[in-house]
């Protein structure tokens, strides 16, 4: 699709990535093979390098930095989508650069804060152009991070599910559910077949949870590939997620990641009903979980060192 559009002569696509490829073709720099090689270079070298730089802002522990780099470098779906001119790897690179800048923005006091904010907002806009709901989720999470609402996790979950029921009852989820229903028209074994559009007040949350388990956690296993992805992606992330310490959310950057994961996951889990698409969409959430996990370990190591010193 991307290759044919880039050479079609049409300069206005439905995403920034299509526009970029078309523009490269116009100025004579479009070459599918060279762009693919560049994307592979991003996946193998640049993205892990930026992730390492971000983790170094969190901790100086070499093992944690190397673990993060290894996780990103060996991430199966990221490697798979670097095999052609897909937009996913480019988006992930922009995403991790954005996270690095957001972390710096929350750390600096005055000097450079305004410039950092301009860069952050610019990357929000670029990601919005690549995938609108990703950019919106990041922007909402950025502003929400100024509010600390974690007095009780049970109350927070109850509020979250109640909010889903309310917005579903008001019909605010209809555009997402209509898009989700389109997957039912595709005769593909990777479609979950969960119909939330006809759900009522009593069934919308259970159906959403089932969809969440199948897509974000990868429990919808249909073949050897999905089993491999479950073993190499989902299980490690589930382990990291359950090791995240709730106390780190007193830090604004971690709150930003936490809010982003909630908002972004809610949108794409509601709108998507295909396991293959889910492996692409959840990359950003999985990276967020990785950083929260590293932050939790860094805090634990710091406390242990303090106990030893005392």
């Amino acid at each position: 699709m991307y290759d044919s559009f880039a050479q079609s002569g049409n300069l206005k696509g439905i995403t920034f990535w299509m526009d970029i490829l078309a523009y490269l073709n116009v100025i004579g720099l479009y070459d599918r093979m060279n762009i693919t090689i560049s994307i592979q270079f991003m996946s193998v070298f640049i993205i892990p390098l930026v992730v390492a730089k971000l983790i170094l802002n969190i901790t100086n522990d070499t093992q944690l930095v190397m673990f993060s780099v290894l996780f990103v470098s060996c991430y199966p779906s990221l490697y798979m989508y670097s095999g052609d001119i897909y937009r996913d790897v480019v988006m992930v690179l922009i995403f991790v650069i954005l996270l690095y800048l957001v972390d710096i923005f929350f750390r600096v006091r005055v000097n450079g804060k305004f410039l950092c904010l301009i860069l952050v907002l610019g990357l929000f806009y670029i990601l919005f152009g690549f995938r609108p709901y990703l950019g919106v989720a990041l922007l909402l999470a950025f502003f929400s991070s100024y509010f600390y609402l974690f007095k009780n996790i049970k109350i927070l979950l109850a509020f979250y599910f109640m909010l889903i029921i309310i917005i579903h009852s008001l019909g605010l989820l209809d555009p997402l559910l209509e898009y989700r229903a389109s997957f039912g028209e595709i005769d593909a074994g990777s479609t979950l077949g969960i119909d939330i559009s006809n759900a009522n007040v009593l069934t919308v949350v259970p159906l959403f949870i089932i969809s969440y388990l199948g897509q974000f956690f990868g429990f919808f296993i249909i073949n050897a590939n999905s089993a491999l992805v479950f073993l190499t992606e989902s299980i490690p992330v589930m382990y990291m997620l359950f090791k995240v310490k709730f106390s780190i959310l007193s830090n604004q950057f971690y709150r930003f990641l936490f809010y982003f994961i909630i908002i972004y996951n809610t949108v794409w889990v509601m709108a998507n009903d295909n396991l293959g698409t889910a492996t692409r969409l959840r990359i950003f959430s999985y990276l967020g979980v990785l950083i929260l996990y590293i932050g939790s370990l860094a805090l634990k190591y710091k406390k242990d060192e303090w106990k030893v010193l005392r």
Side-chain angles (χ1 to χ4, degrees), residues 10-30:
N10 188 352
L11 294 179
K12 189 61 180 175
I14 57 176
T15 67
F16 273 3
W17 184 235
M18 298 176 79
D19 295 345
I20 292 170
L21 293 177
Y23 178 73
L24 289 175
N25 185 62
V26 168
I27 62 176
L29 295 178
Y30 177 80

Side-chain angles (χ1 to χ4, degrees), residues 45-62:
F45 294 105
I46 301 181
I47 292 176
L49 183 64
V50 178
V51 169
K53 189 69 175 176
L54 171 60
I55 299 302
L56 282 170
N57 281 352
I58 298 172
T59 177
N60 290 323
D61 190 288
T62 305

Side-chain angles (χ1 to χ4, degrees), residues 27 68 141 188 240 304:
I27 62 176
S68 304
M240 289 188 282
D304 291 344

Side-chain angles (χ1 to χ4, degrees), residues 4 68 73 88 102 117 136 177 181-182 185 206 212 236 244 249 277 287 296-297 310:
S4 58
S68 304
S73 300
D88 301 271
V102 169
L117 177 62
V136 171
L177 298 178
S182 66
E185 302 172 2
Y212 206 104
V244 170
L249 298 181
T277 304
L287 288 175
S296 297
L297 286 181
R310 292 184 63 184

Side-chain angles (χ1 to χ4, degrees), residues 41-234:
F41 183 77
M42 292 178 195
S43 176
V44 176
F45 294 105
I46 301 181
I47 292 176
L49 183 64
V50 178
V51 169
K53 189 69 175 176
L54 171 60
I55 299 302
L56 282 170
N57 281 352
I58 298 172
T59 177
N60 290 323
D61 190 288
T62 305
Q63 290 183 336
L64 294 182
V65 176
M66 292 304 298
F67 171 79
S68 304
V69 170
L70 185 64
F71 178 84
V72 175
S73 300
C74 300
Y75 192 87
S77 292
L78 197 60
Y79 175 78
M80 181 177 64
Y81 289 111
S82 66
D84 205 343
I85 54 173
Y86 302 115
R87 57 179 168 163
D88 301 271
V89 172
V90 178
M91 291 171 61
V92 171
L93 175 58
I94 298 171
F95 177 74
V96 294
I97 293 173
L98 171 65
L99 295 187
Y100 176 73
L101 290 174
V102 169
D103 184 45
I104 291 177
F105 175 79
F106 289 145
R107 289 173 184 272
V108 297
R109 296 301 179 96
V110 179
N111 295 334
K113 200 173 185 72
F114 179 74
L115 175 60
C116 194
L117 177 62
I118 296 299
L119 293 173
V120 165
L121 293 177
L123 291 180
F124 282 152
Y125 177 74
I126 291 173
L127 285 174
F128 177 84
F130 272 85
R131 182 174 290 151
Y133 54 89
L134 175 61
V136 171
L138 286 164
L139 186 63
L140 290 175
F142 182 77
F143 289 116
S144 299
S145 67
Y146 287 90
F147 302 95
Y148 186 45
L149 307 172
F150 306 104
K151 301 299 182 182
N152 188 299
I153 185 63
K154 294 180 180 179
I155 295 177
L156 185 64
L157 284 173
F159 174 76
Y160 174 68
F161 289 129
M162 185 62 67
L163 188 61
I164 288 178
I165 293 173
I166 292 173
I167 61 178
H168 178 268
S169 300
L170 294 174
L172 299 178
L173 294 176
D174 288 351
L176 297 178
L177 298 178
E178 288 175 6
Y179 178 77
R180 182 191 184 97
S182 66
F183 286 98
E185 302 172 2
I186 303 173
D187 185 16
S190 59
T191 299
L192 279 72
I194 300 173
D195 184 10
I196 303 180
S197 58
N198 295 318
N200 55 41
V201 173
L202 297 177
T203 60
V204 61
V205 170
L207 288 174
F208 174 73
I209 292 174
I210 294 172
S211 181
Y212 206 104
L213 291 172
Q215 296 191 78
F216 180 72
F217 290 108
F219 284 111
F220 185 64
I221 301 174
I222 55 174
N223 52 36
N225 287 337
S226 60
L228 179 62
V229 169
F230 178 73
L231 291 173
T232 57
E233 293 182 7
S234 299

